[in-house]
Amino acid sequence: MSSLSTTPLTPEIVSREGNTMVLSMGPQHPSTHGVLQLVLEIEGENVVNVDPEIGYLHTGIEKSAENLFWSQAQTVIERMDYLAPESNSLCYVLAAEKLLGIADRIPSRAQAIRVLFAELTRIASHCVWLGTHCIDLGALSVFFYTFDLRENILDLQEEAGGARMHPNYLRIGGCNGDLPEGFLAKLDALIEKFPGRMADLRGLLQANPIFQDRTIGIANLCANDAVAWNVTGPSLRASGVAYDVRRAFPYCGYESYEFDVPTRTEGDAYARFLVRLEEMEQAHRILQQVRKRLDEPGPVMIDDTKVAAPPKETIALSMEALIHHFKIVSEGFRVPPGDVYQSVESPRGELGFYLVSDGGNRPYRVRTRPPSLYNLQAIKAIARGNLIADLVVTIGSLDPVFGEVDR
Amino acid sequence: MPSTQTPPIAGGAIDPPSLRPPIADARIERVDAARVRARLEELHAQGWTMLLDLGAADYPLRTPRFDVVYHLLKLSAAARTVAEVGTPERMRLLCGVEADDARVPTASDLWPSADWAEREVFDLFGIVFDGHPDLRRIQMPHTWEGHPLRKDYPLRGPARERSPRPAFALKSNVQAGVPPSGETLAALQEQRKKS
């Protein structure tokens, strides 16, 4: 590939051949959505070469997870992609369930709740993306519209799991308790509010000439490059490839929901914007279908005391329940040895976990396939030849989350 | 951090990937480091367009010690609809790597996305990718020693040495009456009186 960076652009090797100069952008630049350093080789205003420097947020989450119980590891894993915590835990939980061999015994209500939170978190994550993307472009007011909507979703997460950002509500074997009273009424209110808010956002941006000027024809990525650079999610679909893990490798009963996979063929920042907006609307469509399924009561946790701690009220009555509860709390559960790859469609693309168990009570290896890392890497192909000012649009339109890039 | 009082229960499986539970998540293939490059070239030519992921795992008691794990996807860049994409084939290629000469040929010229993935494996496992154009650490600082995701790398480092106290705050100096600031001295003496 000609677009591969061949020489590391460290400040020590400042190349001043011709008229190029080396400029360091970040790691504290506000447009980098975290801590990303871009070492740029520029000729005037044009970017000749870009070398992203990552790792500033590396916290060793994989190593930590390998030293925690199977159920505890989920708490650190939720903190990888902090804008879509439920996508992370959902993927991990599904992979662990496959290794345990209980994947086909998860109650249908639990599956519906998982879909509910996966889609809520998709909307919330795209809200943050749109708000911050527009701030990068100088449009401050959009932020208030999107964060208002996101706040409603965080409220729902808090209702169900007890925490706004990292509820840790989805568990191996199901969910942590049924949805609380009053949750569905709030969900209904959100479902009703959503279309109006979406119309506001479209009205603010879609035909806005300033927004269009900044995004149409900027940060182009063709389908072949996108596939070669391993770009997934909305950024891949904006280049025309209709690959969506929810359709290609369905999980949690996604095959039984009606929704479209929006694609565009332009592959520019504006196409990614349109795809993400439409994805939010499709998520809303799925929410409506889930809402109907949630009317049916049912268990939300697998009936298997080897994996799921028995309900608290049985502990006082049954000796066995007490023993199972004590065992699971004090030493976790063992998972049969083997390895598995499981992926889900996170708001940023294909999030995958390659889990290895050696038969113990802690995951032996937790390898993440972080969509943000691969999507961000494509900036090397995208940014070449563009203006520095458009670099900000490029980063924004790829929507990387650095908790996940660096882990 | 080890958060529980109970010690870890090791499963004892020395080579977990060989104990396949009946999960059909991908087509699985095993190659050794000598043949992996030829196999990857073959697969690339056969239309495995996407190198979905490249990671590694460390099994210290096994020979070969490491596994470099490739996940490949047969996805056509011309698939414009969900029906055309269908369920693309997925493959897992496990490549065993010896402990004392941990080297694997690079795949970054076949799939450009392997660039950062290989750097990460090099950084965290110490496996060298021959022919990689820019093999530097990516997550850890460039001056770091050791490879954190190896199983023999400790979870916690040694306790950090505390930075030395400034001279005026040392008890011996306070007693000798040589602090630069009378205020600190007074405060420290007050404290001593109380205790």
Side-chain angles (χ1 to χ4, degrees):
Chain A
M1 280 282 156
S2 59
S3 43
L4 250 179
S5 148
T6 45
T7 25
L9 290 172
T10 49
E12 289 81 48
I13 320 167
V14 178
S15 124
R16 281 191 174 280
E17 287 168 27
N19 286 322
T20 65
M21 65 176 279
V22 174
L23 179 78
S24 171
M25 178 171 162
Q28 277 89 22
H29 199 278
S31 76
T32 54
H33 296 234
V35 271
L36 165 70
Q37 187 190 15
L38 295 170
V39 184
L40 307 171
E41 191 182 347
I42 50 175
E43 191 175 354
E45 283 284 304
N46 290 309
V47 177
V48 179
N49 213 341
V50 53
D51 186 30
E53 190 73 34
I54 62 168
Y56 289 96
L57 274 186
H58 182 62
T59 41
I61 288 182
E62 287 180 9
K63 182 89 175 173
S64 303
E66 287 162 20
N67 285 279
L68 293 167
F69 292 162
W70 282 91
S71 49
Q72 290 172 331
Q74 215 182 309
T75 50
V76 286
I77 282 165
E78 274 206 344
R79 278 149 180 84
M80 282 183 187
D81 179 352
Y82 43 77
L83 296 181
E86 260 104 0
S87 293
N88 296 282
S89 51
L90 176 62
C91 187
Y92 172 77
V93 156
L94 290 172
E97 281 166 1
K98 274 193 180 170
L99 276 176
L100 280 161
I102 57 170
D104 49 350
R105 290 195 281 136
I106 307 302
S108 59
R109 186 174 168 83
Q111 299 282 34
I113 292 176
R114 287 173 177 189
V115 172
L116 169 76
F117 277 100
E119 295 308 316
L120 281 176
T121 204
R122 190 180 317 280
I123 297 177
S125 171
H126 284 348
C127 280
V128 177
W129 158 76
L130 187 58
T132 51
H133 188 41
C134 289
I135 286 185
D136 291 346
L137 302 179
L140 294 179
S141 45
V142 181
F143 186 82
F144 299 105
Y145 286 82
T146 58
F147 266 60
D148 172 56
L149 190 59
R150 175 177 183 249
E151 204 55 44
N152 295 141
I153 294 170
L154 294 187
D155 282 348
L156 288 177
Q157 287 189 354
E158 190 179 359
E159 289 260 316
R164 282 172 76 241
M165 298 280 281
H166 303 288
N168 203 15
Y169 178 59
L170 313 180
R171 299 284 169 94
I172 296 174
C175 307
N176 182 26
D178 209 340
L179 297 171
E181 226 172 284
F183 180 92
L184 291 179
K186 282 194 177 178
L187 178 63
D188 286 337
L190 177 74
I191 290 176
E192 203 164 311
K193 174 185 177 177
F194 182 84
R197 196 35 62 92
M198 236 16 232
D200 286 347
L201 290 173
R202 278 197 189 273
L204 275 168
L205 294 165
Q206 195 163 350
N208 183 330
I210 305 172
F211 185 76
Q212 288 186 344
D213 268 1
R214 287 301 304 274
T215 51
I216 291 181
I218 304 296
N220 292 314
L221 185 69
C222 71
N224 282 325
D225 275 358
V227 169
W229 282 92
N230 205 353
V231 172
T232 48
S235 307
L236 176 65
R237 292 191 284 275
S239 297
V241 184
Y243 174 61
D244 186 319
V245 184
R246 290 174 295 175
R247 282 288 188 231
F249 303 99
Y251 50 92
C252 287
Y254 263 111
E255 62 273 22
S256 62
Y257 293 91
E258 262 178 47
F259 66 97
D260 299 330
V261 177
T263 55
R264 309 282 302 179
T265 48
E266 296 89 346
D268 59 2
Y270 189 67
R272 277 168 225 146
F273 157 79
L274 290 177
V275 165
R276 286 206 181 89
L277 277 198
E278 211 164 311
E279 226 171 61
M280 287 164 83
E281 283 161 354
Q282 294 301 328
H284 177 246
R285 229 173 117 191
I286 299 173
L287 285 185
Q288 287 169 318
Q289 296 167 49
V290 181
R291 174 63 188 87
K292 280 183 202 138
R293 298 187 192 192
L294 288 177
D295 282 331
E296 294 166 30
V300 293
M301 198 68 181
I302 188 172
D303 184 22
D304 184 344
T305 43
K306 295 291 175 211
V307 178
K312 198 81 183 164
E313 54 273 18
T314 60
I315 291 173
L317 302 172
S318 146
M319 186 66 190
E320 279 208 344
L322 181 67
I323 293 170
H324 280 305
H325 193 277
F326 178 75
K327 284 284 261 185
I328 284 177
V329 171
S330 62
E331 60 165 55
F333 47 82
R334 285 158 174 255
V335 172
D339 61 345
V340 70
Y341 178 80
Q342 168 73 41
S343 58
V344 301
E345 185 71 25
S346 98
R348 264 151 279 282
E350 170 161 355
L351 172 73
F353 275 105
Y354 174 64
L355 295 187
V356 181
S357 170
D358 67 343
N361 63 349
R362 290 155 204 240
Y364 186 81
R365 176 80 182 100
V366 181
R367 162 70 194 166
T368 325
R369 184 217 179 270
S372 293
L373 179 95
Y374 290 111
N375 289 358
L376 180 69
Q377 191 179 196
I379 200 174
K380 293 199 241 178
I382 298 173
R384 236 163 251 228
N386 282 346
L387 294 171
I388 299 181
D390 293 340
L391 211 54
V392 175
V393 183
T394 311
I395 302 168
S397 72
L398 291 173
D399 190 22
V401 168
F402 283 86
E404 188 181 70
V405 172
D406 298 343
R407 284 159 289 138
Chain B
M1 64 235 69
S3 67
T4 51
Q5 300 88 336
T6 46
I9 301 175
I14 289 167
D15 184 13
S18 67
L19 305 164
R20 286 292 307 156
I23 306 169
D25 60 331
R27 212 166 100 194
I28 294 152
E29 225 180 274
R30 212 163 235 301
V31 285
D32 50 33
R35 286 193 305 115
V36 68
R37 173 73 200 184
R39 185 69 188 128
L40 286 173
E41 274 170 18
E42 220 171 272
L43 291 169
H44 187 258
Q46 281 170 15
W48 293 84
T49 45
M50 205 182 235
L51 179 64
L52 206 52
D53 192 28
L54 193 160
D58 177 15
Y59 309 104
L61 298 176
R62 193 191 76 172
T63 344
R65 175 173 169 180
F66 298 104
D67 259 350
V68 174
V69 187
Y70 302 83
H71 280 99
L72 299 165
L73 193 71
K74 215 174 203 170
L75 179 68
S76 163
R80 291 279 177 267
T81 60
V82 174
E84 277 175 54
V85 173
T87 300
E89 274 183 88
R90 196 156 62 184
M91 176 189 253
R92 170 151 75 249
L93 195 67
L94 295 150
C95 169
V97 183
E98 298 294 340
D100 36 315
D101 187 29
R103 304 184 90 83
V104 182
T106 183
S108 58
D109 51 340
L110 300 172
W111 295 278
S113 64
D115 183 357
W116 279 9
E118 287 180 351
R119 276 177 67 187
E120 196 177 300
V121 172
F122 163 72
D123 185 0
L124 303 177
F125 285 91
I127 297 170
V128 175
F129 288 87
D130 285 325
H132 188 286
D134 179 24
L135 201 62
R136 288 177 288 150
R137 284 190 183 270
I138 186 166
Q139 302 286 14
M140 306 302 286
H142 293 293
T143 51
W144 197 263
E145 280 172 29
H147 303 286
L149 279 185
R150 288 189 175 192
K151 286 288 171 188
D152 50 11
Y153 190 93
L155 182 64
R156 275 183 201 200
R160 250 180 286 168
E161 244 175 75
R162 292 174 70 177
S163 51
R165 289 180 146 199
F168 65 82
L170 289 177
K171 262 187 179 174
S172 55
N173 283 350
V174 173
Q175 276 166 339
V178 286
S181 147
E183 229 170 86
T184 318
L185 172 68
L188 282 170
Q189 281 174 342
E190 186 78 0
Q191 203 182 335
R192 280 189 67 206
K193 257 185 230 163
K194 275 183 194 165
S195 62

